[in-house]
Amino acid sequence: TALFVEKVGMHPDRIHNLYFAYLFLLRAINKAGPELLAYDYDTGNPEDDEWVRGAVRGLVRASSNATTAEQCHRAFDESGMFQPRSLGGGPEAVAAEEAELHKLRQEFFMRFHNISRIMDCVGCEKCRLWGKLQVLGLGTAIKVVLGRPEDRTAEGRLSFQRNEVIALINTAHQLAKSVKAVDDFQKLEFDEIVQRWMWLSGLVLIILGVLLGLVLRRPGKRRGGKHHTERDKASNGNSSAGAQDVPPVKSGRAKKAD
């Protein structure tokens, strides 16, 4: 839990980015639902093929749910990206803006391609494999959501390679696990905070009880001590008065002299 709080919990922007990436992947799966359902899943084993088709149908159905689709669309609306916004200026201004947007789109995809090339510099083979797989999954999602004309067939359908389908579904699965882990760790963190406050509250109550007991005992001792002191003074005064009333006793010598 401490590692989660240090690396993720104390950085809300990282949690927001995780949820955004997860919704973005669900949005891509929702848009690519027809292509994913029509894809030929051939593993060489008929039973595995049927299981994969059923799992993909369930995934597409879940991403097409009304609530999920609304949340994905609200979190990321791609309809306004790379679209001309000029309201006037004539055909020349519109053509110039479209050319600028096309250039911006190409630059966007080129930068993402450079990110995937950076993964080649990772020393750990396992980390490099998983990193490239998830980067490819995000790239496939971008291809679906921000699809370029060259990514579609003559019929207007998206064309996927086998590794792109694998990367897209696997990345969505990993992000779903990460979202679930964040939720679990946040619950553990909350439970630890509650336990810590309960322990501190109990300790404070014990300290207050001890202090209250000490405060209640001190006035009694002071009254008792004061009472004894006054009584001792009174007895000493009475003793002195009695001593003064008793006449002095004459010594034997004095009687003999008389």
Side-chain angles (χ1 to χ4, degrees), residues 20 31 38 42 68 70-71 96 105 137 180 205 233:
F20 176 79
K31 292 192 68 173
D42 185 9
T68 304
E70 181 182 357
Q71 291 177 351
R105 182 195 293 268
K180 181 65 169 58
L205 289 176
K233 288 182 179 179

Side-chain angles (χ1 to χ4, degrees), residues 223-241:
R223 293 194 191 95
K226 185 176 180 180
H227 178 71
H228 286 301
T229 303
E230 292 177 353
R231 189 174 61 185
D232 292 342
K233 288 182 179 179
S235 61
N236 290 336
N238 294 332
S239 299
S240 300

Side-chain angles (χ1 to χ4, degrees), residues 31-51:
K31 292 192 68 173
E35 287 81 2
L36 292 175
L37 292 175
Y39 191 82
D40 184 18
Y41 299 98
D42 185 9
T43 63
N45 188 333
E47 295 181 359
D48 292 342
D49 295 344
E50 187 60 29
W51 183 88

Side-chain angles (χ1 to χ4, degrees), residues 28 69 72 103 123 126 152 154 200 218 223-224:
C72 295
K103 180 181 178 182
K126 185 177 180 179
R152 295 184 177 273
L200 289 176
R218 285 181 180 179
R223 293 194 191 95

Side-chain angles (χ1 to χ4, degrees), residues 204-217:
V204 169
L205 289 176
I206 293 175
I207 294 175
L208 289 177
V210 173
L211 293 177
L212 184 61
L214 293 176
V215 170
L216 292 177
R217 288 180 181 178

Side-chain angles (χ1 to χ4, degrees), residues 116-135:
S116 63
R117 293 177 59 185
I118 292 175
M119 296 304 302
D120 295 332
C121 302
V122 179
C124 176
E125 294 183 359
K126 185 177 180 179
C127 299
R128 182 168 63 249
L129 173 63
W130 283 103
K132 290 181 73 67
L133 181 65
Q134 295 184 15
V135 168

